[in-house]
């Protein structure tokens, strides 16, 4: 794949002669997007409220992170009388891949469902877990099945979440089931690989889960079990064997998991602007005259400032105040994001990195750009309602391609407070 030079080009600030060299954004987190914060290491994430992926703006990428078809428990014949476990929920932070270690010779979907019912009985009754351990199961024909019971979906495709977007706790990885989603491939993949149909279904499900929960498919990050408080550092999409001493999900398949992570990342990659696109946005009052202004990034990457006249037009022609800004796919202003009383700018680069540009209150910038997050290219819409939380500090709101709406609280110092919180669904 041809690399885009714009990934490494950072804007220059003509008026002050500063070349923007990103500074460290702090600890890299496990979610997409992540944010750097001065108080806590945070990630977008965790579904703590009404419930992020990330998602590209191209139709193909949007389709890739749409929820795939999932057959309900009723569809595969789960006996409700066999379930004796009361569902529990927690924000989803990790995705774990398994195999069921059963035979691969099932001839059709009916036989696959029979195997799943047998696993269900074994887990629920024989093992005494009260339900099937896996959150999802995928057969060799590419069918995805609902596993662990979460709630009644009234005809809607099951997601494995509660109404607030928290994932149901399974029983798939001893000591690490809370806060993780267990996806099992039906069969044994110690000596043979999964079918192309199963692989495609797995990648689709992983992409949707990662995008829904803000998980970076290729990240390796610490994870703390919210119940036991035990901690472990693993890849965010990992094999069962990364958590416990087991060969699951099989040696042959496990060798391909790195490729699967890369494919999932491609499915939810950041958007790329058309070559001749322009970005037009308002930095609010960027010049310190109490009048709203407008900025434009031209197709060749030049940044122009248009001073508003406070009436219905502009005080003068546009002034070029920077170049090399073509590497950004989104530009916005939260107003004063740093607590100095001056309007600031945020920009999302083509690779999803989030940069802060401090305004100097006189129509230019102060200091160098600071990278304050990664993975932000997944939003189809990113904007600031300014102070949305009533604490006097500017906030950011983003909409993912799957329609999830996320709120990021600003800390008034150019960073974010805590993790992103999903506050709505159906926003696309």
């Amino acid at each position: 794949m041809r690399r885009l030079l714009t990934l490494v080009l950072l804007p220059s600030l003509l008026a002050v002669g500063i070349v923007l060299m990103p500074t460290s954004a702090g600890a890299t987190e496990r979610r997409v997007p992540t944010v750097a914060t001065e108080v806590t290491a945070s990630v977008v994430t965790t579904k703590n409220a009404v419930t992020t992926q990330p998602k590209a703006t191209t139709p193909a990428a949007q389709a890739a992170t749409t929820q795939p078809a999932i057959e309900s428990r009723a569809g595969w014949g789960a006996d409700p009388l066999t379930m004796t476990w009361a569902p529990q929920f927690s924000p989803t932070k990790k995705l774990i891949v398994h195999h069921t270690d059963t035979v691969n010779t099932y001839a059709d979907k009916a036989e696959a469902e029979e195997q799943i019912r047998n696993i269900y009985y074994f887990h629920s009754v024989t093992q005494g877990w009260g339900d099937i351990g896996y959150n999802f199961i995928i057969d060799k024909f590419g069918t995805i099945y609902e596993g662990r019971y979460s709630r009644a979906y009234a005809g809607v495709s099951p997601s494995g979440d509660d109404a607030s977007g928290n994932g149901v706790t399974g029983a798939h990885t001893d000591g690490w089931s809370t806060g993780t989603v267990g996806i099992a491939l039906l069969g044994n993949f110690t000596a043979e690989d999964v079918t192309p149909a199963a692989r495609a279904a797995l990648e689709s499900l992983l992409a949707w889960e990662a995008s829904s929960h803000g998980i970076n498919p290729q990240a390796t990050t610490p994870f703390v079990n919210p119940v036991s408080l035990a901690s472990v550092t693993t890849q965010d999409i990992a094999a069962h064997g990364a958590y416990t001493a087991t060969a699951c999900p099989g040696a042959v398949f496990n060798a391909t998991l790195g490729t699967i992570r890369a494919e999932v990342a491609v499915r939810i990659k950041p958007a790329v602007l058309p070559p001749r696109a322009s970005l037009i946005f308002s930095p609010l009052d960027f010049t310190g005259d109490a009048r709203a202004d407008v900025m434009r990034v031209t197709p060749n990457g030049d940044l122009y400032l248009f001073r508003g006249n406070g009436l219905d037009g502009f005080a003068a022609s546009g002034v070029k105040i920077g170049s090399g800004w073509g590497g950004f796919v989104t530009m916005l202003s939260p107003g004063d994001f740093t607590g100095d009383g001056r309007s600031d700018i945020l920009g999302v680069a083509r690779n999803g990195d989030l940069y802060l540009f401090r305004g100097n209150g006189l129509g230019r910038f102060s200091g160098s750009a600071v990278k304050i997050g990664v993975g932000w290219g997944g939003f189809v819409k990113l904007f600031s309602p300014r102070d949305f939380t009533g604490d006097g500090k500017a906030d950011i709101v983003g909409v993912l391609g799957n329609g999830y709406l996320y709120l990021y609280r600003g800390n008034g110092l150019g960073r974010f407070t805590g993790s992103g919180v999903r506050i709505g669904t159906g926003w696309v």
Side-chain angles (χ1 to χ4, degrees):
M1 179 183 297
R2 181 172 64 87
R3 293 184 179 273
L4 296 174
L5 293 180
T6 50
L7 290 177
V8 295
L9 294 180
L10 293 172
S12 63
L13 304 181
L14 298 184
V16 292
I18 296 174
V19 177
L20 299 180
M21 298 300 294
T23 60
S24 171
T28 301
E29 296 286 334
R30 61 183 168 280
R31 305 284 218 121
V32 179
T34 66
V35 296
T37 168
E38 295 178 344
V39 261
T40 62
S42 67
V43 219
V44 63
T45 242
T46 73
K47 300 174 142 190
N48 324 343
V50 183
T51 332
T52 148
Q53 163 192 334
K55 292 222 19 193
T57 54
T58 60
Q62 287 183 0
T65 51
T66 299
Q67 180 179 358
I70 298 174
E71 182 168 315
S72 68
R73 290 164 61 94
W76 57 261
D79 182 354
L81 298 180
T82 304
M83 195 195 81
T84 58
W85 176 81
Q88 300 169 5
F89 300 88
S90 183
T92 297
K93 299 181 180 181
K94 296 279 187 175
L95 306 176
I96 303 177
V97 183
H98 304 256
H99 69 177
T100 59
D101 198 15
T102 51
V103 299
N104 301 333
T105 54
Y106 51 94
D108 52 28
K109 188 169 177 289
E111 290 188 7
E113 292 176 349
E114 182 179 7
Q115 280 202 25
I116 294 171
R117 289 192 295 271
N118 291 338
I119 295 169
Y120 173 43
Y121 185 88
F122 177 71
H123 285 182
S124 182
V125 179
T126 306
Q127 296 290 91
W129 298 345
D131 198 356
I132 193 168
Y134 307 118
N135 297 89
F136 300 97
I137 307 97
I138 299 174
D139 69 20
K140 66 182 178 182
F141 311 111
T143 307
I144 304 172
Y145 301 89
E146 177 189 16
R148 193 78 160 182
Y149 177 83
S150 53
R151 59 188 170 101
Y153 289 93
V156 178
S157 185
S159 65
D161 296 336
D162 66 10
S164 297
N166 296 301
V168 66
T169 299
H172 54 88
T173 304
D174 188 24
W176 304 105
S177 292
T178 303
T180 66
V181 169
I183 302 172
L185 296 157
L186 188 63
N188 182 304
F189 304 102
T190 300
E192 63 180 273
D193 201 358
V194 300
T195 65
R199 183 179 301 276
L202 175 64
E203 290 174 358
S204 178
L205 181 58
L206 288 171
W208 171 64
E209 284 284 349
S211 65
S212 298
H213 299 277
I215 293 173
N216 186 337
Q218 296 183 295
T220 298
T221 56
F223 170 55
V224 177
N225 183 307
V227 175
S228 68
L229 301 183
S231 63
V232 65
T233 297
T234 64
Q235 290 176 299
D236 287 1
I237 296 177
H240 183 189
Y243 292 86
T244 58
T246 175
C248 178
V252 172
F253 169 76
N254 197 37
T256 71
L257 196 50
T259 301
I260 289 174
R261 293 187 192 100
E263 290 297 324
V264 171
V266 168
R267 288 175 179 254
I268 57 177
K269 64 184 177 181
V272 177
L273 284 178
R276 297 191 59 80
S278 292
L279 293 176
I280 300 173
F281 64 100
S282 174
L284 305 177
D285 175 18
F286 196 66
T287 56
D289 60 1
R291 297 165 182 168
D293 306 306
V294 174
M295 281 185 175
R296 178 185 181 224
V297 179
T298 65
N300 67 355
D302 291 340
L303 178 66
Y304 279 83
L305 170 66
F306 298 82
R307 286 176 173 260
N309 63 9
L311 298 172
D312 56 0
F314 299 101
S317 300
V319 177
K320 182 178 173 181
I321 62 171
S323 60
W325 291 71
F328 289 93
V329 295
T330 300
M331 302 291 299
L332 68 148
S333 176
D336 177 18
F337 196 63
T338 56
D340 60 2
R342 299 162 183 169
S343 186
D344 305 305
I345 303 298
L346 296 177
V348 179
R350 291 179 184 269
N351 65 353
D353 290 347
L354 179 67
Y355 285 89
L356 165 66
F357 302 86
R358 287 176 173 260
N360 69 357
L362 300 171
R364 297 296 186 272
F365 298 94
S366 175
S368 299
V370 179
K371 188 167 82 172
I372 62 173
V374 299
W376 287 72
F379 288 105
V380 296
K381 183 67 175 178
L382 197 64
F383 63 97
S384 174
R386 304 191 75 174
D387 178 17
F388 192 67
T389 56
D391 61 0
K393 299 163 185 174
D395 307 304
I396 304 298
V397 174
V399 180
L400 296 176
N402 59 8
Y404 289 169
L405 183 71
Y406 273 85
L407 167 67
Y408 299 84
R409 288 175 173 259
N411 69 356
L413 299 172
R415 296 294 189 276
F416 298 94
T417 298
S419 301
V421 177
R422 193 167 88 188
I423 61 172
T425 59
W427 284 76
V428 293

